[in-house]
């Protein structure tokens, strides 16, 4: 009986005019679709994802196919991005490299968000001494140089793709923790959260049904902003030989391999560098548009 009563009272906290809310959300979605900057960024992101999924179909050659007689061939009809010092097709390697960038980006963002969500929720909802401890640890990690700490972690674990994701996530979670904690500190003082306590709802139900959904907008925006940071960090670490190991291609390792031929074969570093810049720009444009759309203070 008590559980049924709580469910009935809980339902009273939800919007009563669902049809009105649905129409309002549809109008907001149409408004967002009218933003050309957001559409451009989303289109580039979509093309990149499709390229990564269908890389074996799009790439004309295997990424590790060596053709020494055609080494350092400039762009032509057969090799539209040219070849590297081993005669490997740059276009094919760049296409396969999108997989590494997206896998690392999604992996780092997901793991960082998971760590930051757990710590931020605990610190923001319960507060007190546990909040002080978590934020003290967060401040320590946030003050350390990200790339140097990632290099140290990878050096201890060994250079491979899994360790790269783990290392980058371990140095990126602090931003999520601060944001989620701040949102929960603000939300727990709201009247509808006080009502859940009066009704006797559990902390778990209050957090995941009422507080977390109201904190999703800034979390989504931060995620879109952190994705290009993860991609650039992966390229930087792969450039240093700490990411995906040969012959697996990543944009950073392709650029690293072509730095010795920057004068006689500049196309080796030009094309992966250009695509890296375009993808990062697309995520930043989409993230900025999403932030402007979700933040009512900027309307």
């Amino acid at each position: 009986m008590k559980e049924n009563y709580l469910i009935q009272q809980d339902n009273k906290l939800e919007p009563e005019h669902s049809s009105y809310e649905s129409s309002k959300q549809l109008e907001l979605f149409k408004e967002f679709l009218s933003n050309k900057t957001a559409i451009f960024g989303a289109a580039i992101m979509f093309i990149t994802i499709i390229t990564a999924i269908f890389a074996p179909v799009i790439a004309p050659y295997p990424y590790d196919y060596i053709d020494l007689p055609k080494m350092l061939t400039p762009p032509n009809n057969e090799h539209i991005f040219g070849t590297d010092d081993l005669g490997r097709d740059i276009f094919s390697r760049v296409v396969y490299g999108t997989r590494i960038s997206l896998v690392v980006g999604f992996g780092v963002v997901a793991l960082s968000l998971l760590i930051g969500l757990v710590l931020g929720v605990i610190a923001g909802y319960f507060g007190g001494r546990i909040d002080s401890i978590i934020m003290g640890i967060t401040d320590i990690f946030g003050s350390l140089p990200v790339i140097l700490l990632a290099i140290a972690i990878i050096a201890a674990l060994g250079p491979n793709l899994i360790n790269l994701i783990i290392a980058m996530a371990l140095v990126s979670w602090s931003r999520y923790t601060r944001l989620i904690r701040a949102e929960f500190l603000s939300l727990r003082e709201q009247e509808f959260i006080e009502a859940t306590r009066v009704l006797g709802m559990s902390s778990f139900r209050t957090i995941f049904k009422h507080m977390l959904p109201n904190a999703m907008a800034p979390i989504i925006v931060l995620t879109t902003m952190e994705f290009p940071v993860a991609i650039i960090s992966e390229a930087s670490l792969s450039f240093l030989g700490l990411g995906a190991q040969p012959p697996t291609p990543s944009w950073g390792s392709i650029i690293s391999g072509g730095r010795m031929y920057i004068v006689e074969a500049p196309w080796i570093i030009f094309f992966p560098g250009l695509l890296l810049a375009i993808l990062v720009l697309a995520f930043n444009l989409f993230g900025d548009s999403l932030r402007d759309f979700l933040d009512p203070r900027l309307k």
Side-chain angles (χ1 to χ4, degrees), residues 105-292:
F106 281 115
V108 171
V109 167
L111 188 55
S112 301
L113 177 59
L114 178 61
I115 298 173
L117 181 64
V118 172
L119 296 179
V121 166
I122 294 174
Y125 183 78
F126 295 101
R129 181 174 297 180
I130 190 170
D131 178 28
S132 301
I133 294 173
I134 290 176
M135 293 313 298
I137 298 174
T138 302
D139 291 339
I140 292 174
F141 273 85
S143 64
L144 297 175
V146 174
I147 294 295
L148 292 180
L149 184 58
I151 291 174
I153 295 174
I154 294 174
L157 299 177
N160 60 57
L161 198 59
I162 300 299
N163 292 341
L164 174 65
I165 294 175
I166 294 174
M168 291 175 59
L170 290 177
V171 299
S172 304
W173 59 266
S174 60
R175 290 182 286 271
Y176 289 99
T177 301
R178 289 196 184 97
L179 174 66
I180 296 170
R181 171 185 177 269
E183 290 295 320
F184 269 64
L185 285 175
S186 175
L187 287 170
R188 74 177 185 180
E189 303 301 329
Q190 299 294 322
E191 292 182 357
F192 72 98
I193 298 300
E194 293 291 340
T196 62
R197 297 194 186 100
V198 173
L199 293 172
M201 294 180 189
S202 65
S203 298
F204 182 87
R205 190 170 187 175
T206 300
I207 290 171
F208 287 97
K209 189 167 184 179
H210 296 288
M211 298 184 72
L212 190 58
N214 284 280
M216 285 305 298
I219 295 175
I220 293 173
V221 172
L222 179 61
T223 299
T224 59
M225 295 296 189
E226 287 297 309
F227 205 101
V229 174
I231 292 176
I232 293 177
S233 299
E234 180 276 326
S236 302
L237 293 172
S238 294
F239 182 86
L240 299 174
L242 300 176
Q245 298 301 297
T248 304
S250 72
W251 291 348
S253 62
I254 296 173
I255 295 173
S256 177
R259 72 186 188 278
M260 301 298 295
Y261 306 95
I262 189 172
V263 175
E264 53 192 300
W267 55 84
I268 299 178
I269 65 173
F270 174 76
F271 289 108
L274 177 63
L275 294 177
L276 177 63
I278 292 175
L279 181 59
V280 170
L281 176 64
F283 271 101
N284 284 330
L285 291 177
F286 183 80
D288 287 339
S289 301
L290 191 62
R291 180 199 59 196
D292 296 344

Side-chain angles (χ1 to χ4, degrees), residues 51-64:
T51 301
I53 294 174
F54 296 101
V57 178
I58 298 173
Y61 301 93
Y63 65 82
D64 55 353

